[in-house]
Amino acid sequence: MEKISAVDYESEMGQSYVDYAMSVITERALPDVRDGLKPVQRRILYSLSELTSSDTPHRKCARIVGDTMGKYHPHGDSSIYEGLVNLAQNWKLPIPLVDPHGNFGDVSGSGAAAMRYTEARISKYTEEACMKDLKFCKEDFIPNFDGTEMEPTYLPFQVPNLLVSGSMGIAVGMATNIPTHNLGEVIDGTIAYLENPDITTDELLDIIKGPDFATGGIINTSRENLLSIYETGLGRLRVRGKVEIRDIGHGRKSICVTELPYTMINGTEKFLNTVAELVRNRELPQVVDIADRGGKDGECLAIDVKKGTTDEEIENIINILYKKAGLEDTYGVNINCINNRKPEVMGLRKILKLYTDFKTDIYNKKYTKLLAEQQDVKEIKEGLLEAVDVIDLIIEILRGSKTIAMAKKCLMTGETEGIKFRFKGSEMDAKELRFTEKQTDAILAMRLSKLIGLEIEALKKELAEAERLIKKYTKLLGSKAEMRRQMIADMEELKKFAKPRMTVIQDLGEIKVKKAEEKPVEISVLLDRFYYLKCIDRNIYDKNVEQIQKDYRFSVNTMTDDRLIAFTDKGFAYVIKISDLVKKQAKKQSGGKGSSIFGKLSDKGIQIFEFCEMESDENVIFIDALSCIIKSNLVFVTDNGRAKRTEGAQFDVTRKKVAAVKVGDVPVMVKPAEENDFVAARSEKGFFVRVKVGDISIQGKGAGGVKLIKLADDDKLTEAEVGATTDASIGEVSFSRIKLCKPGNKGTKLRV
């Protein structure tokens, strides 16, 4: 009968999620501290070792992936192939664990060819550093997912592969990011730890200098930071690429990135696009060409500069590449790995301790088995040599026995019952025989050719060699010092695979970028009736001035380092940097490829709303360069009949939006004016007033001003103008027709 159990939903979901998380952490994402491999990597290498060796032909990757998936790793083939490719790429691993053949991608980010096209085999390094001792670890194998095969729980690396090959992975709630290290340094560091387990992390850093990336580059950090990272297992490093300045002829130079920072692998295209963006934004005005000129000799990302660019300017360009283009980046170290089936973040000393404990255990298993094997060899060789001395008796026993079992029993125990002997006394000699079972089996399998004198001498030599090895293995197993010396000797052998350090470690400090000093350029800024802004060359303006004044609401002649100030009918002033307009226009030109600061008269331009918080129903009533108004006074006239003068310098502010008049007032005119100028205004009901500018008070930005004209309750000002002489006009009315008066006058009603 089916039994239904009641469970708490919340606790069941919580436990299930924890189980899932731990499965991802231990079975997929994090490497084991013993061999530095994730399960998929271990299974790939083990499957590869079954299919190939370092001196056999390469095998199709599809076959390798299929074997791995079918026998050991029941997941998607793409994840297995990706793992195989990563183990073969020499820009990710200083010493690849897989020997590739075919297109396995490149450092710029191009992917590997499909697995049906590529081939691989186990590398010589992996074979010698890992697979030689695998046969001594068979008792630690476990059944595979369906119980039809046995797979290793670790691979017996002769060196701390966790440090040499590094690792990167994302699990549930945690991640790992372990940098690669130099094989020679890691071997020396492990030897130092074996000889002195009390060695400090600081002393180890004299041997293992720090990470050594396959792409080379520079690690910009202090020793104190490295010490902290290797003590805690956590920290951040600044990695940067190496650059060379090369002469490319005709007096021009090129900045060549010869070694990439490790963080840029698979991202060189992004780097070049970022440099191009900096050029378009005029942050790198000296750069004239950008190209990927990588060849067989390695990467070369070239940034060509203009003829005549100084060394100081080139140095500043390099600093900008470091600071803004990703040529220097942060590498987060997180040495998180599996120890005894649990994730743990650990420092350098603990890694070496756990590894050397693991290595000692492997060596004890290895030499215990080798000792047992040689003891068996000695036993058998001694039996064969003894059998040679009584070979006639053995032949007589074999000829007189009815079965092999009868002969075997006689050789082992001296039992002669049922055996017919040809010579007297042979039976008495046979009863003295006491061969062991292994010796007896070897005697029964022995060929007559072993009776030749040279073969007997070979047996004696094999016996002597077995005795020598037994003595050696017994000494190793009985002495920790001897075992340690053997470990060290084996690791020293692997130094033949070590390469010179690729990555330079220096404390170079912070990058200092000098702001580019661009010379201001004369420019004309135009605003059309649809509120589109554009910049044009001043010469174009001079040649088309009449057309521009006809077609555009405002035009301002100024310099590229100036600012625009726009006053609207809602009483606000908006400040716009012309440099922002220049950058945005340059970026927009030719689909983002142009770098000229000038546009054409036919260009559409960029809406003013993209540069300030102006509302869509606001109207610009006056616009000018800040440099033009900063030393003068501005006259404001509002529709309620008030006016004021405000110093232009008050609008030299860092804010992009400021109030220009009293809140609620509606300006009808903003213009710069001198004290001797006149300001004339016209009301809706036809009243005109003309006042001398000097009679209007100077007030602040948010002030309401003085009464310019006394208006009826149902009247308001609709128009105002400033003029230097009575020849000026407001609309069709000349200033000379309007009576000059003091502010606050009722004004004169005129027919237009």
Side-chain angles (χ1 to χ4, degrees):
M1 184 176 176
E2 186 178 0
K3 184 179 179 181
I4 299 175
S5 301
V7 296
D8 180 67
Y9 181 78
E10 184 176 351
S11 61
E12 178 65 24
M13 289 297 291
Q15 185 59 47
S16 296
Y17 184 78
V18 169
D19 292 343
Y20 161 74
M22 288 305 297
S23 173
V24 172
I25 290 166
T26 59
E27 298 298 328
R28 293 193 191 183
L30 302 189
D32 194 299
V33 69
R34 297 172 295 178
D35 60 7
L37 297 173
K38 301 177 187 179
V40 66
Q41 295 171 326
R42 187 179 303 116
R43 289 162 176 166
I44 289 168
L45 292 179
Y46 181 59
S47 183
L48 203 55
S49 71
E50 292 182 313
L51 286 170
T52 68
S53 67
S54 62
D55 55 2
T56 59
H58 294 78
R59 302 297 292 271
K60 281 287 184 185
C61 288
R63 169 69 188 277
I64 299 165
V65 170
D67 268 29
T68 305
M69 182 167 58
K71 289 183 176 181
Y72 311 116
H73 198 71
H75 301 285
D77 58 352
S78 59
S79 63
I80 299 172
Y81 185 50
E82 183 181 352
L84 176 63
V85 168
N86 288 336
L87 292 172
Q89 292 176 329
N90 61 6
W91 58 91
K92 289 184 179 177
L93 297 181
I95 304 176
L97 303 179
V98 171
D99 180 10
H101 186 244
N103 177 15
F104 274 70
D106 60 44
V107 70
S108 67
S110 298
M115 68 178 84
R116 61 184 178 274
Y117 301 120
T118 55
E119 299 176 342
R121 66 183 176 190
I122 201 156
S123 72
K124 183 72 173 174
Y125 166 73
T126 308
E127 200 170 57
E128 292 197 23
C130 174
M131 296 302 175
K132 284 199 305 185
D133 291 344
L134 187 59
K135 59 187 176 183
F136 303 112
C137 308
K138 295 288 186 180
E139 69 267 23
D140 292 327
F141 277 38
I142 59 173
N144 69 339
F145 60 91
D146 62 0
T148 58
E149 301 280 347
M150 299 296 287
E151 63 172 304
T153 54
Y154 58 82
L155 295 182
F157 267 95
Q158 297 276 359
V159 294
N161 185 58
L162 185 74
L163 294 174
V164 176
S165 297
S167 190
M168 182 177 71
I170 300 173
V172 179
M174 62 178 63
T176 187
N177 203 27
I178 305 170
T180 57
H181 293 78
N182 183 270
L183 175 62
E185 292 178 7
V186 170
I187 290 173
D188 289 340
T190 308
I191 291 171
Y193 185 85
L194 279 168
E195 292 176 337
N196 176 21
D198 295 325
I199 190 171
T200 65
T201 306
D202 194 29
E203 290 169 330
L204 281 170
L205 278 182
D206 291 331
I207 304 168
I208 302 175
K209 310 293 184 184
D212 187 24
F213 297 112
T215 56
I218 300 169
I219 294 176
N220 178 14
T221 189
S222 65
R223 185 179 176 88
E224 291 74 19
N225 185 44
L226 278 175
L227 184 60
S228 172
I229 288 171
Y230 284 106
E231 281 182 340
T232 64
L234 294 169
R236 300 170 77 82
L237 296 169
R238 300 292 295 178
V239 293
R240 62 165 62 174
K242 282 185 185 176
V243 297
E244 290 181 6
I245 311 302
R246 296 178 182 173
D247 193 339
I248 55 176
H250 305 289
R252 292 172 57 196
K253 293 181 179 179
S254 181
I255 301 167
C256 297
V257 182
T258 56
E259 293 181 15
L260 300 176
Y262 188 73
T263 52
M264 199 187 284
I265 58 174
N266 302 334
T268 56
E269 185 178 350
K270 180 182 177 183
F271 168 74
L272 295 175
N273 288 337
T274 304
V275 176
E277 184 72 14
L278 291 170
V279 173
R280 285 193 291 269
N281 291 341
R282 300 189 59 78
E283 293 185 58
L284 295 173
Q286 301 92 343
V287 173
V288 294
D289 192 22
I290 307 161
D292 183 351
R293 298 182 186 140
K296 292 182 179 179
D297 298 331
E299 277 305 302
C300 179
L301 305 178
I303 296 96
D304 299 343
V305 297
K306 292 178 181 177
K307 184 177 180 180
T309 304
T310 65
D311 291 343
E312 185 179 356
E313 288 173 327
I314 289 175
E315 183 180 349
N316 196 54
I317 291 171
I318 293 171
N319 286 339
I320 292 173
L321 296 178
Y322 285 143
K323 192 83 172 178
K324 298 185 177 182
L327 195 56
E328 179 175 282
D329 204 355
T330 300
Y331 181 93
V333 178
N334 181 7
I335 308 177
N336 191 7
C337 52
I338 300 299
N339 175 28
N340 196 22
R341 296 194 59 79
K342 293 180 181 178
E344 183 178 348
V345 177
M346 58 186 71
L348 181 58
R349 288 189 73 256
K350 182 153 190 184
I351 291 172
L352 294 179
K353 178 187 184 307
L354 292 171
Y355 172 76
T356 52
D357 289 347
F358 162 70
K359 189 176 178 71
T360 301
D361 182 56
I362 294 292
Y363 268 60
N364 283 331
K365 290 176 182 177
K366 173 182 177 179
Y367 287 108
T368 298
K369 288 187 177 182
L370 287 174
L371 177 61
E373 287 175 5
Q374 291 305 316
Q375 286 172 336
D376 289 345
V377 170
K378 179 187 176 187
E379 180 183 336
I380 291 168
K381 301 304 178 186
E382 286 176 339
L384 290 175
L385 286 170
E386 186 180 341
V388 168
D389 292 338
V390 291
I391 193 64
D392 294 332
L393 177 60
I394 292 172
I395 292 172
E396 192 173 347
I397 292 169
L398 292 173
R399 293 184 66 180
S401 299
K402 294 179 181 177
T403 63
I404 292 176
M406 186 182 289
K408 186 174 181 179
K409 188 174 183 181
C410 179
L411 293 173
M412 292 175 63
T413 65
E415 176 65 52
T416 59
E417 184 179 349
I419 300 174
K420 294 180 180 181
F421 292 91
R422 297 180 62 188
F423 302 104
K424 291 181 179 181
S426 294
E427 185 173 359
M428 293 300 294
D429 291 338
K431 288 182 178 181
E432 299 296 323
L433 296 177
R434 293 294 186 273
F435 290 105
T436 66
E437 186 174 1
K438 291 177 182 176
Q439 290 173 335
T440 302
D441 290 338
I443 290 167
L444 292 174
M446 183 175 67
R447 296 180 180 180
L448 290 177
S449 61
K450 289 290 183 183
L451 300 177
I452 299 172
L454 290 175
E455 287 294 323
I456 294 172
E457 287 300 315
L459 283 174
K460 289 179 179 179
K461 286 181 180 179
E462 289 169 3
L463 176 60
E465 177 64 14
E467 289 173 339
R468 185 188 70 80
L469 291 175
I470 288 169
K471 185 178 179 180
K472 175 185 175 182
Y473 299 154
T474 303
K475 188 177 180 181
L476 285 171
L477 291 167
S479 170
K480 290 183 179 179
E482 286 297 324
M483 187 68 84
R484 185 169 61 247
R485 277 193 283 273
Q486 184 63 47
M487 291 180 191
I488 290 171
D490 290 346
M491 283 194 286
E492 290 280 5
E493 269 295 307
L494 292 174
K495 276 192 175 180
K496 63 187 177 185
F497 295 104
K499 300 175 182 178
R501 168 171 273 277
M502 293 281 292
T503 304
V504 176
I505 300 176
Q506 289 179 293
D507 188 0
L508 300 171
E510 288 293 319
I511 300 165
K512 295 180 180 178
V513 176
K514 291 183 180 178
K515 195 170 182 179
E517 295 181 5
E518 293 186 28
K519 292 181 180 179
V521 178
E522 278 192 294
I523 199 169
S524 293
V525 181
L526 311 180
L527 180 70
D528 66 17
R529 65 176 62 90
F530 301 108
Y531 289 96
Y532 281 89
L533 281 169
K534 72 181 75 170
C535 300
I536 62 169
D537 189 331
R538 177 64 184 273
N539 292 327
I540 295 178
Y541 174 84
D542 291 339
K543 292 175 183 178
N544 299 275
V545 61
E546 292 183 4
Q547 185 68 31
I548 288 170
Q549 289 178 350
K550 179 181 177 183
D551 295 341
Y552 291 87
R553 295 187 64 186
F554 296 99
S555 60
V556 178
N557 295 321
T558 181
M559 308 293 286
T560 51
D561 62 346
D562 205 347
R563 286 175 286 172
L564 291 176
I565 185 162
F567 297 91
T568 70
D569 59 359
K570 288 200 174 183
F572 293 105
Y574 296 90
V575 181
I576 301 169
K577 287 184 178 180
I578 294 177
S579 59
D580 290 343
L581 173 59
V582 166
K583 287 178 184 177
K584 205 153 194 173
Q585 179 171 286
K587 184 177 179 181
K588 186 177 179 181
Q589 284 178 14
S590 304
K593 297 178 182 178
S595 59
S596 171
I597 66 171
F598 300 119
K600 301 174 184 177
L601 270 176
S602 57
D603 289 344
K604 187 176 182 180
I606 303 167
Q607 279 206 312
I608 194 171
F609 308 110
E610 294 189 31
F611 301 97
C612 57
E613 299 174 4
M614 191 182 299
E615 295 178 11
S616 58
D617 61 344
E618 279 188 86
N619 295 307
V620 176
I621 58 175
F622 180 68
I623 191 168
D624 204 348
L626 191 61
S627 60
C628 295
I629 68 166
I630 203 166
K631 294 181 180 179
S632 61
N633 291 332
L634 293 173
V635 175
F636 292 83
V637 177
T638 55
D639 67 348
N640 58 4
R642 305 185 75 84
K644 69 171 180 176
R645 281 191 295 158
T646 301
E647 294 174 345
Q650 290 199 26
F651 296 97
D652 186 8
V653 294
T654 56
R655 286 175 293 163
K656 291 185 177 181
K657 177 181 180 180
V658 292
V661 296
K662 185 179 178 181
V663 177
D665 287 357
V666 178
V668 294
M669 185 206 74
V670 181
K671 288 281 181 72
E674 299 295 331
E675 280 200 6
N676 292 324
D677 290 345
F678 301 102
V679 58
R682 171 184 181 176
S683 79
E684 196 173 57
K685 292 187 176 293
F687 287 89
F688 288 81
V689 67
R690 179 165 64 96
V691 176
K692 210 169 187 182
V693 170
D695 291 337
I696 300 173
S697 302
I698 295 178
Q699 297 181 348
K701 294 194 297 291
V706 297
K707 189 175 287 188
L708 178 67
I709 184 172
K710 188 177 180 181
L711 294 172
D713 292 340
D714 57 349
D715 199 3
K716 64 179 181 179
L717 289 185
T718 58
E719 190 178 357
E721 191 56 75
V722 168
T725 66
T726 54
D727 293 335
S729 62
I730 176 170
E732 297 176 1
V733 178
S734 171
F735 277 18
S736 59
R737 290 184 59 194
I738 306 170
K739 181 180 178 182
L740 182 65
C741 59
K742 292 293 182 181
N745 195 283
K746 186 178 179 181
T748 306
K749 190 166 186 178
L750 299 175
R751 288 187 178 184
V752 179

